[in-house]
Amino acid sequence: MLNLIILGPPGAGKGTVAHFLAKKLSIPHISTGNLLRSNAHQNTKLGKTALVYTERGHFVPDELIFNMLFERIEQKDCTKGHILDGFPRTLSQAEIYQKRVEALSKAMVIHLDISDQEVMKRLAYRLICSVCNAPYNLITAPPKISMTCDQCLTKLAQRTDDQKEVVASRLAIYHKNADCLIDYYAKKNILKTVSCNRPIQEIVDEIFSKIDLI
Ligand code: AMP
């Protein structure tokens, strides 16, 4: 069983990287943000509760995140492992998750390194499909038909939490926690840092070469 964690600030490209890795390794990409957005879209109790936090860029309480995540990683398609995107966000989430999966699996953490300035630029142009979660960027990866998802033809929108003021708060929260997380995984000797200010294929190739080394 191989479990991968993709760490990085909002806009670093965690979802895109996880998507490529999932295809190559045939293990599912699990984004806690996507799970929350799907719940919100379906108007579930969890989705409604989570919206209060996500719309402000605040963390959803751990109990909700763990119930949702542990239920997901117990599903059949996760028997060979999983790729996490957006989790863990804090040291305590990392420690609880570690206890749960440690005995069962080989783990590796990919840290996507990118400047705040580049993040602000990327998120200003990011669009997302509310139905299938496919990500787009008006400059670097526009949809084929204006404001329409290539895959399911749903109308695209900017995430409410990608607005400038919310991004600034999300970045501040990320930086408050990131050093502890990076240090935690570096001490376990399972951390690989990859620079993200370059084309996605180069990033993915470097990650594959690092995974192969394990
Ligand atoms: P993301 O799509 O990863 O940027 O997540 C969107 C929002 O969902 C975040 O800003 C948080 O409000 C919430 N969220 C996602 N993952 C977590 C997590 N592991 N812990 C707490 N809140 C989370």
PDB file of all heavy atoms in Angstrom, residues 174-209:
ATOM      1  N   TYR A 174      -2.128  28.970   5.974  1.00  0.00           N
ATOM      2  CA  TYR A 174      -1.226  27.918   5.472  1.00  0.00           C
ATOM      3  C   TYR A 174       0.171  28.084   6.074  1.00  0.00           C
ATOM      4  O   TYR A 174       0.744  27.143   6.607  1.00  0.00           O
ATOM      5  CB  TYR A 174      -1.155  27.964   3.931  1.00  0.00           C
ATOM      6  CG  TYR A 174      -0.070  27.048   3.404  1.00  0.00           C
ATOM      7  CD1 TYR A 174      -0.272  25.674   3.329  1.00  0.00           C
ATOM      8  CD2 TYR A 174       1.182  27.543   3.027  1.00  0.00           C
ATOM      9  CE1 TYR A 174       0.739  24.820   2.891  1.00  0.00           C
ATOM     10  CE2 TYR A 174       2.190  26.697   2.591  1.00  0.00           C
ATOM     11  CZ  TYR A 174       1.957  25.339   2.525  1.00  0.00           C
ATOM     12  OH  TYR A 174       2.957  24.488   2.109  1.00  0.00           O
ATOM     13  N   HIS A 175       0.690  29.318   6.012  1.00  0.00           N
ATOM     14  CA  HIS A 175       2.070  29.538   6.485  1.00  0.00           C
ATOM     15  C   HIS A 175       2.195  29.307   7.997  1.00  0.00           C
ATOM     16  O   HIS A 175       3.238  28.880   8.465  1.00  0.00           O
ATOM     17  CB  HIS A 175       2.547  30.938   6.101  1.00  0.00           C
ATOM     18  CG  HIS A 175       2.825  31.040   4.623  1.00  0.00           C
ATOM     19  ND1 HIS A 175       3.755  30.246   3.982  1.00  0.00           N
ATOM     20  CD2 HIS A 175       2.275  31.804   3.651  1.00  0.00           C
ATOM     21  CE1 HIS A 175       3.779  30.530   2.694  1.00  0.00           C
ATOM     22  NE2 HIS A 175       2.881  31.471   2.465  1.00  0.00           N
ATOM     23  N   LYS A 176       1.099  29.581   8.710  1.00  0.00           N
ATOM     24  CA  LYS A 176       1.137  29.376  10.160  1.00  0.00           C
ATOM     25  C   LYS A 176       1.385  27.894  10.504  1.00  0.00           C
ATOM     26  O   LYS A 176       1.990  27.569  11.518  1.00  0.00           O
ATOM     27  CB  LYS A 176      -0.216  29.830  10.732  1.00  0.00           C
ATOM     28  CG  LYS A 176      -0.146  30.249  12.172  1.00  0.00           C
ATOM     29  CD  LYS A 176      -1.439  30.890  12.614  1.00  0.00           C
ATOM     30  CE  LYS A 176      -1.866  30.228  13.904  1.00  0.00           C
ATOM     31  NZ  LYS A 176      -3.293  30.140  14.073  1.00  0.00           N
ATOM     32  N   ASN A 177       0.910  27.014   9.645  1.00  0.00           N
ATOM     33  CA  ASN A 177       0.988  25.574   9.938  1.00  0.00           C
ATOM     34  C   ASN A 177       2.056  24.828   9.142  1.00  0.00           C
ATOM     35  O   ASN A 177       2.469  23.739   9.526  1.00  0.00           O
ATOM     36  CB  ASN A 177      -0.371  24.918   9.620  1.00  0.00           C
ATOM     37  CG  ASN A 177      -1.437  25.362  10.603  1.00  0.00           C
ATOM     38  OD1 ASN A 177      -1.426  24.933  11.748  1.00  0.00           O
ATOM     39  ND2 ASN A 177      -2.313  26.245  10.167  1.00  0.00           N
ATOM     40  N   ALA A 178       2.453  25.409   8.002  1.00  0.00           N
ATOM     41  CA  ALA A 178       3.268  24.634   7.055  1.00  0.00           C
ATOM     42  C   ALA A 178       4.629  24.222   7.624  1.00  0.00           C
ATOM     43  O   ALA A 178       5.050  23.072   7.442  1.00  0.00           O
ATOM     44  CB  ALA A 178       3.451  25.442   5.774  1.00  0.00           C
ATOM     45  N   ASP A 179       5.294  25.134   8.333  1.00  0.00           N
ATOM     46  CA  ASP A 179       6.648  24.810   8.805  1.00  0.00           C
ATOM     47  C   ASP A 179       6.645  23.584   9.720  1.00  0.00           C
ATOM     48  O   ASP A 179       7.506  22.712   9.612  1.00  0.00           O
ATOM     49  CB  ASP A 179       7.268  26.005   9.545  1.00  0.00           C
ATOM     50  CG  ASP A 179       7.652  27.113   8.574  1.00  0.00           C
ATOM     51  OD1 ASP A 179       7.569  26.870   7.350  1.00  0.00           O
ATOM     52  OD2 ASP A 179       8.013  28.212   9.040  1.00  0.00           O
ATOM     53  N   CYS A 180       5.644  23.542  10.634  1.00  0.00           N
ATOM     54  CA  CYS A 180       5.547  22.395  11.557  1.00  0.00           C
ATOM     55  C   CYS A 180       5.343  21.098  10.792  1.00  0.00           C
ATOM     56  O   CYS A 180       5.948  20.070  11.107  1.00  0.00           O
ATOM     57  CB  CYS A 180       4.333  22.537  12.467  1.00  0.00           C
ATOM     58  SG  CYS A 180       4.518  23.770  13.691  1.00  0.00           S
ATOM     59  N   LEU A 181       4.464  21.161   9.779  1.00  0.00           N
ATOM     60  CA  LEU A 181       4.171  19.953   9.002  1.00  0.00           C
ATOM     61  C   LEU A 181       5.403  19.485   8.228  1.00  0.00           C
ATOM     62  O   LEU A 181       5.735  18.299   8.205  1.00  0.00           O
ATOM     63  CB  LEU A 181       3.051  20.242   7.995  1.00  0.00           C
ATOM     64  CG  LEU A 181       1.622  20.170   8.506  1.00  0.00           C
ATOM     65  CD1 LEU A 181       0.653  20.625   7.441  1.00  0.00           C
ATOM     66  CD2 LEU A 181       1.299  18.748   8.949  1.00  0.00           C
ATOM     67  N   ILE A 182       6.089  20.458   7.620  1.00  0.00           N
ATOM     68  CA  ILE A 182       7.260  20.127   6.804  1.00  0.00           C
ATOM     69  C   ILE A 182       8.346  19.514   7.702  1.00  0.00           C
ATOM     70  O   ILE A 182       8.971  18.500   7.370  1.00  0.00           O
ATOM     71  CB  ILE A 182       7.739  21.387   6.051  1.00  0.00           C
ATOM     72  CG1 ILE A 182       6.711  21.703   4.947  1.00  0.00           C
ATOM     73  CG2 ILE A 182       9.137  21.216   5.460  1.00  0.00           C
ATOM     74  CD1 ILE A 182       6.829  23.070   4.349  1.00  0.00           C
ATOM     75  N   ASP A 183       8.500  20.106   8.866  1.00  0.00           N
ATOM     76  CA  ASP A 183       9.483  19.618   9.828  1.00  0.00           C
ATOM     77  C   ASP A 183       9.134  18.196  10.299  1.00  0.00           C
ATOM     78  O   ASP A 183       9.992  17.314  10.390  1.00  0.00           O
ATOM     79  CB  ASP A 183       9.451  20.605  11.008  1.00  0.00           C
ATOM     80  CG  ASP A 183      10.668  20.476  11.871  1.00  0.00           C
ATOM     81  OD1 ASP A 183      11.748  20.369  11.286  1.00  0.00           O
ATOM     82  OD2 ASP A 183      10.523  20.455  13.110  1.00  0.00           O
ATOM     83  N   TYR A 184       7.858  17.979  10.572  1.00  0.00           N
ATOM     84  CA  TYR A 184       7.374  16.666  11.044  1.00  0.00           C
ATOM     85  C   TYR A 184       7.710  15.564  10.031  1.00  0.00           C
ATOM     86  O   TYR A 184       8.245  14.517  10.393  1.00  0.00           O
ATOM     87  CB  TYR A 184       5.859  16.787  11.258  1.00  0.00           C
ATOM     88  CG  TYR A 184       5.127  15.527  11.625  1.00  0.00           C
ATOM     89  CD1 TYR A 184       5.224  14.988  12.909  1.00  0.00           C
ATOM     90  CD2 TYR A 184       4.304  14.885  10.699  1.00  0.00           C
ATOM     91  CE1 TYR A 184       4.518  13.836  13.256  1.00  0.00           C
ATOM     92  CE2 TYR A 184       3.589  13.746  11.042  1.00  0.00           C
ATOM     93  CZ  TYR A 184       3.703  13.225  12.317  1.00  0.00           C
ATOM     94  OH  TYR A 184       2.997  12.091  12.658  1.00  0.00           O
ATOM     95  N   TYR A 185       7.425  15.845   8.740  1.00  0.00           N
ATOM     96  CA  TYR A 185       7.662  14.820   7.723  1.00  0.00           C
ATOM     97  C   TYR A 185       9.150  14.711   7.366  1.00  0.00           C
ATOM     98  O   TYR A 185       9.624  13.622   7.029  1.00  0.00           O
ATOM     99  CB  TYR A 185       6.811  15.093   6.477  1.00  0.00           C
ATOM    100  CG  TYR A 185       5.341  14.827   6.715  1.00  0.00           C
ATOM    101  CD1 TYR A 185       4.380  15.811   6.528  1.00  0.00           C
ATOM    102  CD2 TYR A 185       4.916  13.569   7.145  1.00  0.00           C
ATOM    103  CE1 TYR A 185       3.031  15.553   6.765  1.00  0.00           C
ATOM    104  CE2 TYR A 185       3.568  13.308   7.381  1.00  0.00           C
ATOM    105  CZ  TYR A 185       2.632  14.298   7.193  1.00  0.00           C
ATOM    106  OH  TYR A 185       1.307  14.035   7.427  1.00  0.00           O
ATOM    107  N   ALA A 186       9.868  15.836   7.458  1.00  0.00           N
ATOM    108  CA  ALA A 186      11.315  15.784   7.180  1.00  0.00           C
ATOM    109  C   ALA A 186      11.996  14.890   8.217  1.00  0.00           C
ATOM    110  O   ALA A 186      12.866  14.082   7.876  1.00  0.00           O
ATOM    111  CB  ALA A 186      11.900  17.190   7.204  1.00  0.00           C
ATOM    112  N   LYS A 187      11.565  14.999   9.475  1.00  0.00           N
ATOM    113  CA  LYS A 187      12.170  14.168  10.531  1.00  0.00           C
ATOM    114  C   LYS A 187      11.873  12.688  10.312  1.00  0.00           C
ATOM    115  O   LYS A 187      12.656  11.837  10.704  1.00  0.00           O
ATOM    116  CB  LYS A 187      11.651  14.609  11.904  1.00  0.00           C
ATOM    117  CG  LYS A 187      12.354  15.864  12.386  1.00  0.00           C
ATOM    118  CD  LYS A 187      12.039  16.165  13.831  1.00  0.00           C
ATOM    119  CE  LYS A 187      12.713  17.461  14.254  1.00  0.00           C
ATOM    120  NZ  LYS A 187      11.827  18.344  15.002  1.00  0.00           N
ATOM    121  N   LYS A 188      10.751  12.396   9.702  1.00  0.00           N
ATOM    122  CA  LYS A 188      10.425  10.997   9.397  1.00  0.00           C
ATOM    123  C   LYS A 188      11.137  10.530   8.127  1.00  0.00           C
ATOM    124  O   LYS A 188      11.006   9.381   7.710  1.00  0.00           O
ATOM    125  CB  LYS A 188       8.907  10.840   9.195  1.00  0.00           C
ATOM    126  CG  LYS A 188       8.110  10.987  10.451  1.00  0.00           C
ATOM    127  CD  LYS A 188       6.667  10.555  10.226  1.00  0.00           C
ATOM    128  CE  LYS A 188       5.877  10.652  11.513  1.00  0.00           C
ATOM    129  NZ  LYS A 188       6.292   9.689  12.531  1.00  0.00           N
ATOM    130  N   ASN A 189      11.830  11.473   7.478  1.00  0.00           N
ATOM    131  CA  ASN A 189      12.582  11.170   6.264  1.00  0.00           C
ATOM    132  C   ASN A 189      11.709  10.705   5.097  1.00  0.00           C
ATOM    133  O   ASN A 189      12.104   9.827   4.321  1.00  0.00           O
ATOM    134  CB  ASN A 189      13.614  10.075   6.602  1.00  0.00           C
ATOM    135  CG  ASN A 189      14.886  10.319   5.855  1.00  0.00           C
ATOM    136  OD1 ASN A 189      15.043  11.375   5.222  1.00  0.00           O
ATOM    137  ND2 ASN A 189      15.780   9.348   5.865  1.00  0.00           N
ATOM    138  N   ILE A 190      10.511  11.290   5.001  1.00  0.00           N
ATOM    139  CA  ILE A 190       9.626  10.888   3.901  1.00  0.00           C
ATOM    140  C   ILE A 190       9.197  12.107   3.075  1.00  0.00           C
ATOM    141  O   ILE A 190       8.234  12.056   2.332  1.00  0.00           O
ATOM    142  CB  ILE A 190       8.373  10.119   4.408  1.00  0.00           C
ATOM    143  CG1 ILE A 190       7.595  10.936   5.448  1.00  0.00           C
ATOM    144  CG2 ILE A 190       8.751   8.764   4.949  1.00  0.00           C
ATOM    145  CD1 ILE A 190       6.257  10.318   5.839  1.00  0.00           C
ATOM    146  N   LEU A 191       9.918  13.218   3.235  1.00  0.00           N
ATOM    147  CA  LEU A 191       9.523  14.471   2.560  1.00  0.00           C
ATOM    148  C   LEU A 191      10.366  14.719   1.308  1.00  0.00           C
ATOM    149  O   LEU A 191      11.588  14.608   1.352  1.00  0.00           O
ATOM    150  CB  LEU A 191       9.713  15.642   3.523  1.00  0.00           C
ATOM    151  CG  LEU A 191       9.282  16.999   2.971  1.00  0.00           C
ATOM    152  CD1 LEU A 191       7.765  17.163   3.098  1.00  0.00           C
ATOM    153  CD2 LEU A 191       9.967  18.144   3.709  1.00  0.00           C
ATOM    154  N   LYS A 192       9.702  15.041   0.207  1.00  0.00           N
ATOM    155  CA  LYS A 192      10.405  15.451  -1.015  1.00  0.00           C
ATOM    156  C   LYS A 192       9.861  16.816  -1.417  1.00  0.00           C
ATOM    157  O   LYS A 192       8.649  16.958  -1.590  1.00  0.00           O
ATOM    158  CB  LYS A 192      10.117  14.471  -2.170  1.00  0.00           C
ATOM    159  CG  LYS A 192      10.383  13.026  -1.837  1.00  0.00           C
ATOM    160  CD  LYS A 192      11.839  12.697  -1.936  1.00  0.00           C
ATOM    161  CE  LYS A 192      12.114  11.297  -1.418  1.00  0.00           C
ATOM    162  NZ  LYS A 192      13.517  11.005  -1.233  1.00  0.00           N
ATOM    163  N   THR A 193      10.742  17.803  -1.581  1.00  0.00           N
ATOM    164  CA  THR A 193      10.283  19.138  -1.977  1.00  0.00           C
ATOM    165  C   THR A 193      10.539  19.344  -3.473  1.00  0.00           C
ATOM    166  O   THR A 193      11.607  19.008  -3.983  1.00  0.00           O
ATOM    167  CB  THR A 193      11.017  20.214  -1.153  1.00  0.00           C
ATOM    168  OG1 THR A 193      10.610  20.078   0.210  1.00  0.00           O
ATOM    169  CG2 THR A 193      10.660  21.617  -1.611  1.00  0.00           C
ATOM    170  N   VAL A 194       9.523  19.870  -4.148  1.00  0.00           N
ATOM    171  CA  VAL A 194       9.602  20.068  -5.596  1.00  0.00           C
ATOM    172  C   VAL A 194       9.217  21.516  -5.899  1.00  0.00           C
ATOM    173  O   VAL A 194       8.186  21.998  -5.425  1.00  0.00           O
ATOM    174  CB  VAL A 194       8.607  19.109  -6.302  1.00  0.00           C
ATOM    175  CG1 VAL A 194       8.610  19.319  -7.795  1.00  0.00           C
ATOM    176  CG2 VAL A 194       8.931  17.663  -5.969  1.00  0.00           C
ATOM    177  N   SER A 195      10.033  22.191  -6.696  1.00  0.00           N
ATOM    178  CA  SER A 195       9.726  23.574  -7.039  1.00  0.00           C
ATOM    179  C   SER A 195       8.630  23.620  -8.119  1.00  0.00           C
ATOM    180  O   SER A 195       8.670  22.867  -9.090  1.00  0.00           O
ATOM    181  CB  SER A 195      11.008  24.247  -7.527  1.00  0.00           C
ATOM    182  OG  SER A 195      10.652  25.414  -8.189  1.00  0.00           O
ATOM    183  N   CYS A 196       7.651  24.521  -7.933  1.00  0.00           N
ATOM    184  CA  CYS A 196       6.457  24.493  -8.793  1.00  0.00           C
ATOM    185  C   CYS A 196       6.331  25.604  -9.801  1.00  0.00           C
ATOM    186  O   CYS A 196       5.314  25.694 -10.472  1.00  0.00           O
ATOM    187  CB  CYS A 196       5.224  24.574  -7.918  1.00  0.00           C
ATOM    188  SG  CYS A 196       4.963  23.039  -7.200  1.00  0.00           S
ATOM    189  N   ASN A 197       7.337  26.459  -9.865  1.00  0.00           N
ATOM    190  CA  ASN A 197       7.224  27.584 -10.780  1.00  0.00           C
ATOM    191  C   ASN A 197       7.701  27.199 -12.176  1.00  0.00           C
ATOM    192  O   ASN A 197       8.603  27.804 -12.725  1.00  0.00           O
ATOM    193  CB  ASN A 197       8.054  28.752 -10.248  1.00  0.00           C
ATOM    194  CG  ASN A 197       7.264  30.021 -10.326  1.00  0.00           C
ATOM    195  OD1 ASN A 197       6.260  30.065 -11.045  1.00  0.00           O
ATOM    196  ND2 ASN A 197       7.692  31.039  -9.613  1.00  0.00           N
ATOM    197  N   ARG A 198       7.131  26.142 -12.735  1.00  0.00           N
ATOM    198  CA  ARG A 198       7.543  25.652 -14.062  1.00  0.00           C
ATOM    199  C   ARG A 198       6.447  24.756 -14.621  1.00  0.00           C
ATOM    200  O   ARG A 198       5.485  24.448 -13.915  1.00  0.00           O
ATOM    201  CB  ARG A 198       8.870  24.907 -13.951  1.00  0.00           C
ATOM    202  CG  ARG A 198       8.842  23.763 -12.966  1.00  0.00           C
ATOM    203  CD  ARG A 198      10.227  23.419 -12.500  1.00  0.00           C
ATOM    204  NE  ARG A 198      10.153  22.501 -11.393  1.00  0.00           N
ATOM    205  CZ  ARG A 198      10.759  21.326 -11.369  1.00  0.00           C
ATOM    206  NH1 ARG A 198      11.514  20.943 -12.388  1.00  0.00           N
ATOM    207  NH2 ARG A 198      10.650  20.543 -10.342  1.00  0.00           N
ATOM    208  N   PRO A 199       6.573  24.320 -15.870  1.00  0.00           N
ATOM    209  CA  PRO A 199       5.472  23.563 -16.476  1.00  0.00           C
ATOM    210  C   PRO A 199       5.144  22.276 -15.708  1.00  0.00           C
ATOM    211  O   PRO A 199       6.035  21.626 -15.162  1.00  0.00           O
ATOM    212  CB  PRO A 199       6.007  23.232 -17.877  1.00  0.00           C
ATOM    213  CG  PRO A 199       7.067  24.237 -18.130  1.00  0.00           C
ATOM    214  CD  PRO A 199       7.669  24.571 -16.803  1.00  0.00           C
ATOM    215  N   ILE A 200       3.850  21.953 -15.711  1.00  0.00           N
ATOM    216  CA  ILE A 200       3.341  20.828 -14.921  1.00  0.00           C
ATOM    217  C   ILE A 200       4.051  19.515 -15.275  1.00  0.00           C
ATOM    218  O   ILE A 200       4.355  18.712 -14.391  1.00  0.00           O
ATOM    219  CB  ILE A 200       1.793  20.697 -15.072  1.00  0.00           C
ATOM    220  CG1 ILE A 200       1.225  19.546 -14.244  1.00  0.00           C
ATOM    221  CG2 ILE A 200       1.354  20.568 -16.494  1.00  0.00           C
ATOM    222  CD1 ILE A 200       1.264  19.758 -12.788  1.00  0.00           C
ATOM    223  N   GLN A 201       4.353  19.299 -16.576  1.00  0.00           N
ATOM    224  CA  GLN A 201       4.966  18.014 -16.945  1.00  0.00           C
ATOM    225  C   GLN A 201       6.330  17.837 -16.282  1.00  0.00           C
ATOM    226  O   GLN A 201       6.686  16.751 -15.833  1.00  0.00           O
ATOM    227  CB  GLN A 201       5.061  17.886 -18.476  1.00  0.00           C
ATOM    228  CG  GLN A 201       5.239  16.433 -18.945  1.00  0.00           C
ATOM    229  CD  GLN A 201       4.173  15.475 -18.377  1.00  0.00           C
ATOM    230  OE1 GLN A 201       2.970  15.737 -18.482  1.00  0.00           O
ATOM    231  NE2 GLN A 201       4.600  14.389 -17.721  1.00  0.00           N
ATOM    232  N   GLU A 202       7.088  18.957 -16.187  1.00  0.00           N
ATOM    233  CA  GLU A 202       8.414  18.880 -15.524  1.00  0.00           C
ATOM    234  C   GLU A 202       8.249  18.521 -14.052  1.00  0.00           C
ATOM    235  O   GLU A 202       9.021  17.744 -13.494  1.00  0.00           O
ATOM    236  CB  GLU A 202       9.112  20.246 -15.592  1.00  0.00           C
ATOM    237  CG  GLU A 202       9.857  20.486 -16.877  1.00  0.00           C
ATOM    238  CD  GLU A 202      10.551  21.851 -16.851  1.00  0.00           C
ATOM    239  OE1 GLU A 202      10.993  22.305 -15.785  1.00  0.00           O
ATOM    240  OE2 GLU A 202      10.617  22.465 -17.939  1.00  0.00           O
ATOM    241  N   ILE A 203       7.235  19.114 -13.420  1.00  0.00           N
ATOM    242  CA  ILE A 203       7.002  18.858 -11.991  1.00  0.00           C
ATOM    243  C   ILE A 203       6.656  17.388 -11.778  1.00  0.00           C
ATOM    244  O   ILE A 203       7.213  16.702 -10.921  1.00  0.00           O
ATOM    245  CB  ILE A 203       5.839  19.749 -11.479  1.00  0.00           C
ATOM    246  CG1 ILE A 203       6.179  21.221 -11.657  1.00  0.00           C
ATOM    247  CG2 ILE A 203       5.503  19.442 -10.035  1.00  0.00           C
ATOM    248  CD1 ILE A 203       5.000  22.154 -11.451  1.00  0.00           C
ATOM    249  N   VAL A 204       5.737  16.911 -12.624  1.00  0.00           N
ATOM    250  CA  VAL A 204       5.280  15.523 -12.486  1.00  0.00           C
ATOM    251  C   VAL A 204       6.437  14.550 -12.754  1.00  0.00           C
ATOM    252  O   VAL A 204       6.620  13.571 -12.020  1.00  0.00           O
ATOM    253  CB  VAL A 204       4.077  15.283 -13.434  1.00  0.00           C
ATOM    254  CG1 VAL A 204       3.752  13.813 -13.534  1.00  0.00           C
ATOM    255  CG2 VAL A 204       2.867  16.052 -12.936  1.00  0.00           C
ATOM    256  N   ASP A 205       7.266  14.838 -13.781  1.00  0.00           N
ATOM    257  CA  ASP A 205       8.407  13.955 -14.084  1.00  0.00           C
ATOM    258  C   ASP A 205       9.348  13.883 -12.885  1.00  0.00           C
ATOM    259  O   ASP A 205       9.842  12.811 -12.536  1.00  0.00           O
ATOM    260  CB  ASP A 205       9.179  14.462 -15.313  1.00  0.00           C
ATOM    261  CG  ASP A 205       8.401  14.240 -16.602  1.00  0.00           C
ATOM    262  OD1 ASP A 205       7.407  13.478 -16.565  1.00  0.00           O
ATOM    263  OD2 ASP A 205       8.776  14.846 -17.627  1.00  0.00           O
ATOM    264  N   GLU A 206       9.600  15.045 -12.266  1.00  0.00           N
ATOM    265  CA  GLU A 206      10.510  15.032 -11.111  1.00  0.00           C
ATOM    266  C   GLU A 206       9.916  14.210  -9.961  1.00  0.00           C
ATOM    267  O   GLU A 206      10.617  13.438  -9.306  1.00  0.00           O
ATOM    268  CB  GLU A 206      10.808  16.463 -10.633  1.00  0.00           C
ATOM    269  CG  GLU A 206      11.862  16.444  -9.532  1.00  0.00           C
ATOM    270  CD  GLU A 206      12.202  17.830  -8.973  1.00  0.00           C
ATOM    271  OE1 GLU A 206      12.008  18.840  -9.670  1.00  0.00           O
ATOM    272  OE2 GLU A 206      12.667  17.862  -7.818  1.00  0.00           O
ATOM    273  N   ILE A 207       8.617  14.354  -9.756  1.00  0.00           N
ATOM    274  CA  ILE A 207       7.984  13.585  -8.668  1.00  0.00           C
ATOM    275  C   ILE A 207       8.081  12.080  -8.956  1.00  0.00           C
ATOM    276  O   ILE A 207       8.448  11.295  -8.088  1.00  0.00           O
ATOM    277  CB  ILE A 207       6.515  14.013  -8.472  1.00  0.00           C
ATOM    278  CG1 ILE A 207       6.459  15.462  -7.991  1.00  0.00           C
ATOM    279  CG2 ILE A 207       5.807  13.095  -7.487  1.00  0.00           C
ATOM    280  CD1 ILE A 207       5.071  16.056  -7.918  1.00  0.00           C
ATOM    281  N   PHE A 208       7.803  11.699 -10.209  1.00  0.00           N
ATOM    282  CA  PHE A 208       7.883  10.272 -10.546  1.00  0.00           C
ATOM    283  C   PHE A 208       9.292   9.736 -10.291  1.00  0.00           C
ATOM    284  O   PHE A 208       9.477   8.653  -9.783  1.00  0.00           O
ATOM    285  CB  PHE A 208       7.510  10.031 -12.003  1.00  0.00           C
ATOM    286  CG  PHE A 208       6.021  10.096 -12.253  1.00  0.00           C
ATOM    287  CD1 PHE A 208       5.527  10.574 -13.444  1.00  0.00           C
ATOM    288  CD2 PHE A 208       5.113   9.683 -11.275  1.00  0.00           C
ATOM    289  CE1 PHE A 208       4.158  10.651 -13.672  1.00  0.00           C
ATOM    290  CE2 PHE A 208       3.757   9.761 -11.484  1.00  0.00           C
ATOM    291  CZ  PHE A 208       3.281  10.239 -12.693  1.00  0.00           C
ATOM    292  N   SER A 209      10.294  10.537 -10.640  1.00  0.00           N
ATOM    293  CA  SER A 209      11.670  10.058 -10.439  1.00  0.00           C
ATOM    294  C   SER A 209      11.955   9.898  -8.946  1.00  0.00           C
ATOM    295  O   SER A 209      12.644   8.981  -8.532  1.00  0.00           O
ATOM    296  CB  SER A 209      12.686  11.007 -11.103  1.00  0.00           C
ATOM    297  OG  SER A 209      12.772  12.187 -10.338  1.00  0.00           O
TER     298      SER A 209
END
